[in-house]
Amino acid sequence: MLNLSGVTLRRGRNLLFEDVTFAVHAGQRLGLVGANGSGKTSLFAAILGELDPDAGAIQLTPGARIAHVAQESAHGQRSALDFVMDGDKELREIQHAIAAADTRDQEAGPHAPPHALFEQLEAIGGYAAEARAARLLSGLGFRESDNQRAVEAFSGGWRMRLNLAQALMCRSDVLLLDEPTNHLDLPAILWLESWLLRYPGILLLVSHDRDFLDALCTRVAHIEHQRIRVYSGNYSQFESQRAEQLAQQEAMHRRQQKEIRHIQSYVDRFRYKASKARQAQSRLKMLERMALIAPAHVDSPFNFEFMEPPRQPLHLAQLEAIAAGYGEPVLQGVDLLISAGDRIGLLGVNGAGKSTLVKALADGSTVLSGSRTVSRDTRIGYFAQHQLDQLDPRQSPIDHLRPLAPTARESELRRYLGGFGFGGERIFEPLAPFSGGEKARLVLALMIRQQPNLLLLDEPTNHLDLDM
């Protein structure tokens, strides 16, 4: 069991949520939803012990094993199969103990390692571990020939799949998955969905894929207004329940406002009339004691539009006979003309060259041969995941925006950032504690402010919540 009791969590001065209490049991699959920056990833960090709650306690059944997907990119010369098997730490400990015992025995003379170690290995299914790791790799889209390739030979998206496979390899009691579908194509998503439906432990899932949430969740925890409320059912059922609650809240708010107006009218009429003053004073105290019901509010916090570019050429960019890649060509013989009004979707498995092609268009950095032509009036807006890492964590959102609008007044910059969900003093705070979704919103805001007429978007929705 995972139990949260009166938990309050802050990041810096920012209150994420307070006095949160709920429990999750084995076999339950809890979807964690809420706006970017509301505290989803921070809650995972607290469960992992990487963050200490400011109040309350997070308790796990003693001895419970937690698995999660490492956020840093996998690297090294280990084979993909070995890397995935490292996820089963108990397996590796027993294997190392057998190897150590074997070494000691060979030094003393040819003897077999202690029999108890082999019994432990059999008890945890250690003899089938390699086959289990191979099945995970196959389900996530790896070919059999990939199993012995070095981890660092894979592209970034495939390395993230390796991290996911390693987390699934762990024989865990609690599994924390933060946007697991970001780097998966559709067959891999469907395979992962079926695997998670059979997972016997506690699953906590952060995802902005509503179909994925619908298929998996038995409960939904919604973070809003510094509170976490748990609903039964999947995401669609959560939306239905929440819509009903909001409708009830709005109806109660209207009834209360009508009652307040009626009482206030009585007080205004009779508070200075001697025969009615006592009753008027009593009603005035009633108003003061009344707990106000807030109006239901579900409007999107985002309000922005793409700025008109200074000029709009007919032909924006052209690639002719392009070979593109990193030392070795990933793509060859590419001919592509992009004109005003085009909407082009790039499809292909991870490693097929989608990002390589986008970079060839963006700045030519991956072009190995051929011709890249960009109109002198083309203004490129380029969004890619690595740009989140290029933001200065010491600077604030308004610090990043000012160089792009040096003559704009602060009030104008405030309004602009407010359209992307950055309000109040938040625009002056350093980016270091901001969530991935908040950083993605800021990168989009900076890109749009440059008034592009050609947008190159490489997985722009990976970190964004459903409203954005």
Side-chain angles (χ1 to χ4, degrees), residues 128-189:
E130 188 171 310
R132 184 158 60 95
R135 285 196 300 272
L136 291 172
L137 286 168
S138 175
L140 291 173
F142 291 86
R143 298 185 297 270
E144 187 175 350
S145 58
D146 290 329
N147 290 1
Q148 298 307 320
R149 285 179 66 196
V151 168
E152 62 183 28
F154 293 95
S155 68
W158 286 102
R159 292 189 197 189
M160 292 309 296
R161 291 196 196 200
L162 286 173
N163 284 350
L164 175 58
Q166 189 181 76
L168 301 183
M169 185 70 187
C170 176
R171 289 172 298 104
S172 59
D173 304 291
V174 180
L175 178 58
L176 308 180
L177 295 182
D178 192 347
E179 295 291 357
T181 62
N182 272 359
H183 299 278
L184 303 183
D185 51 23
L186 185 58
I189 290 173

Side-chain angles (χ1 to χ4, degrees), residues 127-258:
Y127 295 110
E130 188 171 310
R132 184 158 60 95
R135 285 196 300 272
L136 291 172
L137 286 168
S138 175
L140 291 173
F142 291 86
R143 298 185 297 270
E144 187 175 350
S145 58
D146 290 329
N147 290 1
Q148 298 307 320
R149 285 179 66 196
V151 168
E152 62 183 28
F154 293 95
S155 68
W158 286 102
R159 292 189 197 189
M160 292 309 296
R161 291 196 196 200
L162 286 173
N163 284 350
L164 175 58
Q166 189 181 76
L168 301 183
M169 185 70 187
C170 176
R171 289 172 298 104
S172 59
D173 304 291
V174 180
L175 178 58
L176 308 180
L177 295 182
D178 192 347
E179 295 291 357
T181 62
N182 272 359
H183 299 278
L184 303 183
D185 51 23
L186 185 58
I189 290 173
L190 294 174
W191 176 87
L192 177 62
E193 187 180 293
S194 66
W195 192 97
L196 292 174
L197 284 170
R198 299 191 302 273
Y199 179 69
I202 294 170
L203 173 64
L204 266 64
L205 172 67
V206 173
S207 177
H208 300 139
D209 182 337
R210 62 199 314 142
D211 291 333
F212 195 64
L213 291 169
D214 264 349
L216 286 171
C217 293
T218 59
R219 302 169 78 196
V220 170
H222 182 224
I223 307 179
E224 187 180 43
H225 305 314
Q226 288 83 49
R227 300 283 179 183
I228 301 182
R229 181 165 186 168
V230 179
Y231 297 78
S232 296
N234 63 16
Y235 187 81
S236 291
Q237 291 166 327
F238 148 71
E239 282 196 316
S240 177
Q241 293 173 58
R242 182 165 176 258
E244 186 176 334
Q245 288 172 357
L246 288 169
Q248 291 174 352
Q249 181 181 335
E250 185 62 26
M252 290 169 63
H253 169 74
R254 289 175 180 168
R255 283 198 298 272
Q256 187 185 59
Q257 290 300 307
K258 183 177 179 181

Side-chain angles (χ1 to χ4, degrees), residues 326-348:
Y326 307 87
E328 295 293 325
V330 177
L331 301 166
Q332 296 192 70
V334 177
D335 292 300
L336 178 63
L337 174 64
I338 301 180
S339 302
D342 283 349
R343 302 283 189 274
I344 300 173
L346 293 182
L347 304 179

